[in-house]
Amino acid sequence: MGGFMIKPKESHFRKRRKLYRPFFYILIVWLSIAFSQNAASSASKEPIHVDLTKTLGFIMGQRFSLNRIKDEYPTLSLQVKMAELEFNSSFGISEKNIEKELKGLFKGKYPEFISTMRKQLDNTLNSQQITQDVAIQFLEEVKLRAAGEIPSPMLETLLIYQFKEKPVNELLRGFKTIYRTNGHPKSKGLDLQIEYPRSWSEREGNRPNVIKYFSSNNGRGPAGALIMTRDLVKEAQGELTRQEIKTLQTIEGSKELALEVFSESSLIEIANGMGMSNVRSINTKRIVIDRWPGAVLDFIGDAQRLDFNITMYNRMYIAIYKNYMIFLQCQVTKMPNETAEELSTKISQFDPMFRLMANSLVIQSQY
C-alpha cells in the first residue's frame, strides 16, 4: 500500500547550522587556555619529605602513647586494642608505604633518620604525664582520627599512601570533600556541586572561566581536574533570536544543540584544537549528566612546558544545561622520564576516580 512520508519539522538550531559554530570555536579557544593552566599547575611548596616525616612522626607518637596507656592502665587494654584496630583499618597500609617512600628518599641515611626520630619522640612523650582521664580522652581521639579527623597535612598524606594503588577507594570509603560553586563570581550564577578526594588540593582557577582546580596528592600528584562554565547566550553576542533563547531554556532545546556540538566530528575537532601535538587515542561518547545532554571526550597528546615536553591524557565531561555549557576536565600527566606503560598504569588507576567525580556532578540550579 502506497503512501507518503511527512518530513520532520526542523529545529531552530538545525535551520541555522551556522549558529552553533561560534559556540564551537569559542569553546576550542577557552578549553585550550584552560588546558594550559591545568598542565602548568604547580605542586605544593613544601618538600615531600617534610610531609612524610610529619606523618610518620604522628603515627609513631600515637603508637607510643597507646603503648604507655596499655602499660600504665591495664584495665584499658581492650579499649586500646579497639582504638588501634579502628585506626589500622583506616590507615594501616599507609605507614608501610610512607616508610618505603622515606627509605627511597634518604637511602643509606634512613636508619640514622628513624633512630633520631624515635629518640626525639621518647624524650618528648615520656616527660608527659597521662592520667586515666587523659588516657580515656586520648582513646576517643584515636577513634575520631580513624574517621578522618586529623590535622593537615597528615590526613592528606595518610590518605595518599593508604590508597596509592587504588585511588578511587578513597572516595568509596567516604574520604571526600564536597565543593559547590554557589556564589562564585566565575560560575555565571550556576550552582554546581562536585565531590573530590579529601587528599586532593583545591585552588582558584587563574583563567576567567576556570572556577576551581583540583590536584591529586595534595597538589603534587600526576592527576588533576578543573570545572568551568560558559554562558552561551552571552557568547552569542546578540546572534540568537528570542525564540532560540527560549528554546535553549528547555531540555529539548539543549538536546537539539547537543546533536550539533556533541557530534563525533565536532568532539574530534575539539581534541585536535587544544594546542597539543600528536593527538591520538581519541574516544567520544554521548552521555547524560544529571538529566541534561552531555558528552565525554578522551585523548592523549603532547605539549611543551618551558624547556621540557610532557604527555597528557585528557578526559572532558561536557554538559549543556539550558544556555550554559558545563565542563569537568580531568588529566593525567606523564613526565619525560616516565614510560608509556607508566602512563597507561596511571590512567587505569585514575579512570574509576574520574568516573565517580563526574557522576557526583549535580546541577543544583535546576532543583
Side-chain angles (χ1 to χ4, degrees):
M1 181 175 177
F4 61 92
M5 295 184 63
I6 300 176
K7 184 178 179 181
K9 183 180 179 181
E10 282 191 303
S11 72
H12 294 284
F13 299 108
R14 286 189 176 278
K15 283 180 180 178
R16 296 177 60 198
R17 281 182 172 271
K18 292 190 295 182
L19 167 69
Y20 82 97
R21 299 309 292 178
F23 296 155
F24 178 70
Y25 288 117
I26 290 171
L27 171 65
I28 291 179
V29 170
W30 60 265
L31 275 177
S32 179
I33 292 173
F35 158 78
S36 299
Q37 172 183 312
N38 198 357
S41 62
S42 59
S44 173
K45 295 180 181 179
E46 197 78 86
I48 183 63
H49 76 269
V50 174
D51 286 357
L52 291 170
T53 301
K54 287 179 181 178
T55 307
L56 184 59
F58 175 83
I59 297 171
M60 293 170 62
Q62 176 176 282
R63 182 179 297 115
F64 184 93
S65 297
L66 288 173
N67 287 335
R68 271 195 64 185
I69 293 171
K70 188 163 49 178
D71 292 339
E72 296 178 20
Y73 300 101
T75 56
L76 297 178
S77 293
L78 181 58
Q79 289 94 315
V80 170
K81 187 65 176 178
M82 293 300 296
E84 286 178 327
L85 286 174
E86 287 188 36
F87 188 84
N88 288 336
S89 176
S90 296
F91 305 113
I93 299 173
S94 186
E95 182 177 6
K96 295 178 181 178
N97 284 331
I98 289 173
E99 288 179 337
K100 182 178 179 181
E101 188 81 5
L102 283 170
K103 286 177 182 178
L105 291 171
F106 285 101
K107 302 186 185 305
K109 295 182 179 180
Y110 181 77
E112 180 184 353
F113 159 78
I114 201 68
S115 176
T116 301
M117 179 180 285
R118 287 197 179 105
K119 289 178 182 178
Q120 291 174 343
L121 286 171
D122 288 349
N123 293 334
T124 302
L125 298 177
N126 268 324
S127 63
Q128 299 175 354
Q129 289 188 342
I130 301 179
T131 65
Q132 187 163 346
D133 286 342
V134 170
I136 292 171
Q137 290 175 8
F138 183 73
L139 292 175
E140 291 301 316
E141 173 68 22
V142 174
K143 291 180 181 180
L144 292 174
R145 291 175 178 180
E149 293 191 23
I150 299 172
S152 181
M154 280 80 76
L155 174 59
E156 291 84 355
T157 308
L158 285 167
L159 291 170
I160 292 165
Y161 287 90
Q162 179 70 19
F163 303 110
K164 187 175 182 180
E165 299 302 320
K166 293 185 178 180
V168 69
N169 284 348
E170 182 178 344
L171 278 179
L172 293 175
R173 290 284 300 274
F175 293 106
K176 61 188 177 183
T177 301
I178 298 175
Y179 174 72
R180 289 183 70 164
T181 65
N182 191 28
H184 195 286
K186 297 180 185 178
S187 68
K188 315 296 190 298
L190 280 181
D191 183 6
L192 308 174
Q193 176 178 306
I194 191 170
E195 297 175 356
Y196 65 94
R198 181 65 182 81
S199 68
W200 285 35
S201 69
E202 170 197 312
R203 64 177 172 83
E204 291 292 322
N206 295 330
R207 301 295 181 178
N209 297 293
V210 177
I211 301 172
K212 285 286 181 179
Y213 179 70
F214 311 98
S215 182
S216 66
N217 293 13
N218 204 20
R220 298 188 184 91
L226 59 82
I227 50 175
M228 305 178 284
T229 59
R230 290 295 278 199
D231 186 333
L232 299 178
V233 173
K234 185 176 180 180
E235 294 294 343
Q237 297 181 347
E239 292 187 27
L240 295 177
T241 67
R242 289 185 179 179
Q243 181 58 45
E244 287 164 342
I245 294 174
K246 184 179 179 180
T247 301
L248 262 182
Q249 298 299 313
T250 67
I251 195 166
E252 290 77 16
S254 294
K255 288 179 179 178
E256 289 176 6
L257 184 58
L259 290 175
E260 302 289 346
V261 179
F262 295 157
S263 67
E264 183 179 14
S265 60
S266 293
L267 291 171
I268 290 174
E269 193 171 346
I270 288 174
N272 286 314
M274 292 282 288
M276 304 185 75
S277 61
N278 190 25
V279 175
R280 55 201 184 274
S281 303
I282 302 176
N283 291 296
T284 69
K285 187 178 182 180
R286 295 286 302 278
I287 60 175
V288 174
I289 297 178
D290 199 21
R291 300 195 313 118
W292 292 82
V296 59
L297 168 64
D298 287 13
F299 65 94
I300 296 174
D302 302 323
Q304 185 169 352
R305 292 293 173 266
L306 300 178
D307 59 344
F308 64 94
N309 294 317
I310 58 174
T311 298
M312 303 194 74
Y313 166 78
N314 300 267
R315 171 163 320 155
M316 288 186 287
Y317 293 95
I318 317 171
I320 297 177
Y321 166 66
K322 296 186 177 181
N323 55 292
Y324 298 97
M325 293 196 77
I326 300 166
F327 287 79
L328 171 64
Q329 182 176 344
C330 307
Q331 293 178 323
V332 177
T333 304
K334 181 186 87 67
M335 300 308 290
N337 62 331
E338 294 178 321
T339 65
E341 289 73 19
E342 287 174 305
L343 174 61
S344 179
T345 297
K346 287 194 288 189
I347 293 172
S348 297
Q349 285 179 327
F350 285 101
D351 172 79
M353 173 79 77
F354 294 155
R355 292 176 187 273
L356 273 187
M357 290 175 66
N359 195 50
S360 76
L361 182 62
V362 178
I363 305 171
Q364 294 285 6
S365 295
Q366 67 181 310
Y367 300 114

